[in-house]
Amino acid sequence: AMCLSSERTFELHVKYVRFLFDHYDQRMVNVDMPDGFGSRVCRCDDCRAQFTPERGRGGGTSDYVWGYIDRVAREVYRSHPDRMVSGLAYSSYLQPPEKIERMSPNLAIIHAMWRSNNHDPETEAFQRGIREAWLPRLPSGEWYTYDYFLHSRQQRRGRPTFFPRRIAKELRALKGISPGDTIEIFNALDWEAEAYHPFAISHLNLYVTSRLWWDADLDLNALLDEYATLYYGPARDAIRALIEHGEQTWPNMQNDPEPIARALELIESAQAAVEPGSVYARRVDVLATYMEPLYALRGQLSRSREDVPRSRMLPTRTLARRTLDGRLDDENYWPPVQTRRLVDVETGDPVPGERRTWFRHFHTDDEIYFGIHCPEPDMANLDLDPTHGDYVEILFETSTHSFYRLRINPTGLVADADHRDGVENTDWDSEAEVAVHRGENYWSVEVRIPIAGPDHREVNPWSGVDGRRPSTIFPWHFNVGRQRVRDGRVERTAYSPTGTQEFEVPEHFAELWAR
């Protein structure tokens, strides 16, 4: 971590800024911290003495970070009083410092925020409060916004995330205060990874923003009417209704199938209103393709899932890919955190400690890993019958497909099945890599499941996992179960109890999402 108490850090930073001024004629240089700095701060005694965790949200490192940025700005001001430096009001230093009454006269502030989230009155008031707290301390009066239009990212796409009224309200409030915005829209990888256009939704938000930069007092209703008429032609009314519906309900679509159903009805109406093959049809189809994940999400949300566990899957800490061996004692792969334990599948009651099964999981960009540990006091009598004996199951419903099953017994025999539409297809191949290890008083399983991507089943329905990596908006649902057979007695445990002796009950699958 960069130590902001270090004199050497300060000297090099000042030298770097002056170099950019002198050799590249820069008018403004950003002297902010690296992204993610708030969670990786230096913790030497001098730095920790400047932390203010009692300030809570957005203020824990404000005096620490802004004390340093202001010091750099003042030093640079001595040699270049006609140039500006900037820093972001961001993360744990979103709030202004308490120990500096007036910032350096050459400092500009860039407020990092999600303008779209101002649909929530509490969030809107918080963001306004940040601005009101900063401006009296800012002699330069230069206030910018760094906004995130990232709703089109792969893990978020689907919802019609329109927010023109939020944009208009905020830009009118900034009139006479801010010279402009920086807007982060998407990553180039998003464009290449899936057959959808990342600007399908966001281009309207960008259009409204750019028009209001020129005149914040434009009649927004007239602007939206003009846009829908000129861009979508005969689909004007349906698209105009979709924009209004999207702005009012997109935050609720993560949990409620009803606004999703209305959004899909409107886009289907738009498709029906245009002549096939026309330019308007192509424009509507871009929007419809972007919204396709909503069909699967509506199906998931329509299931009655109450009081199921939620499991957050962390990204891998693995430094290099390795061959699986079934052992879970490699802490590079299986750090001892977030262990999930299985309970009686029917009642939810705990099981005795010598048979208490647990599992862990993590993900990479395109793979999901499960590690399952099965304590077994009677290893000599494992029942190896592939259908009726000892085994573990991983069942999962992806963001686009319901549902898949992997059954693995102590010999490493794998029985895959696709249960799409309630029909078991045992010819399907998950393409998972599986390894089993048998110890003195336990057996354990490692599973690596590749994710083939959305619409994969249309290309190859016989192998591969259809879907995208789980996210907060488009989660997967899953269960992990174990069957243990001894002396004719069957014991079944699961992560999420189903209320029956069966594992394959999607309504009781737990929610799985990835950071």
Side-chain angles (χ1 to χ4, degrees), residues 368 370 394-398 401-406 428 430 449-450 465-466 476-479 509 512:
I368 289 179
F370 281 89
I394 303 172
L395 307 111
F396 54 94
E397 174 183 275
T398 74
H401 192 93
S402 182
F403 63 92
Y404 298 115
R405 185 204 74 212
L406 278 69
W428 172 78
S430 67
I449 304 172
V465 172
D466 188 276
W476 288 15
H477 291 84
F478 82 111
N479 212 349
F509 285 3
L512 179 67

Side-chain angles (χ1 to χ4, degrees), residues 117 119 151 155-161 245-246 248-261 263 293-294 296-303 305 310 470-477 511-514:
N117 288 345
H119 63 80
H151 306 282
Q155 302 303 317
R156 295 189 175 105
R157 77 143 172 139
R159 297 181 297 174
T161 313
H245 176 71
Q248 293 169 14
T249 66
W250 72 262
N252 302 327
M253 291 183 190
Q254 184 173 340
N255 304 299
D256 187 351
E258 289 189 13
I260 292 177
L294 291 181
L297 182 60
R298 179 180 59 178
Q300 286 190 355
L301 294 176
S302 296
R303 295 186 187 277
R305 285 191 174 103
R310 294 186 75 238
S471 67
T472 54
I473 297 173
F474 297 102
W476 288 15
H477 291 84
E511 185 175 309
L512 179 67
W513 58 282

Side-chain angles (χ1 to χ4, degrees), residues 359-376:
F359 71 92
R360 297 173 183 146
H361 49 41
F362 64 82
H363 71 87
T364 64
D365 286 341
D366 54 7
E367 294 175 323
I368 289 179
Y369 290 67
F370 281 89
I372 307 173
H373 179 86
C374 303
E376 179 49 68

